[in-house]
Amino acid sequence: MSTVKKAVQDTLQQDVISDKVRDYANEPYFVKKAEKAKEFLRQHPIPERYLKK
């Protein structure tokens, strides 16, 4: 896992790109939010006319 610092010559801003990013997929807060969203979509489906075919 590496960290790369990039500096853009036109700006004074420096971007940091890192592979060391924490995964929040299994955090209880986000799992609960995802379950609520799935349940809401089961109860209120998206109309067919708005779905891409």
Side-chain angles (χ1 to χ4, degrees), residues 28-41:
Y29 175 79
F30 295 109
V31 170
K32 184 177 168 184
K33 295 288 261 184
E35 288 172 1
K36 282 186 175 183
K38 288 177 189 176
E39 182 60 33
F40 179 83
L41 287 174

Side-chain angles (χ1 to χ4, degrees), residues 2 7-8 10 13 19 21-23 25 27 30-31 33-34 38-47 50-51 53:
S2 62
V8 180
D10 296 341
Q13 177 179 344
D19 294 343
V21 179
R22 185 172 172 200
D23 183 19
E27 289 289 322
F30 295 109
V31 170
K33 295 288 261 184
K38 288 177 189 176
E39 182 60 33
F40 179 83
L41 287 174
R42 272 194 284 276
Q43 293 176 1
H44 306 94
I46 298 172
Y50 294 121
L51 298 175
K53 296 181 181 180

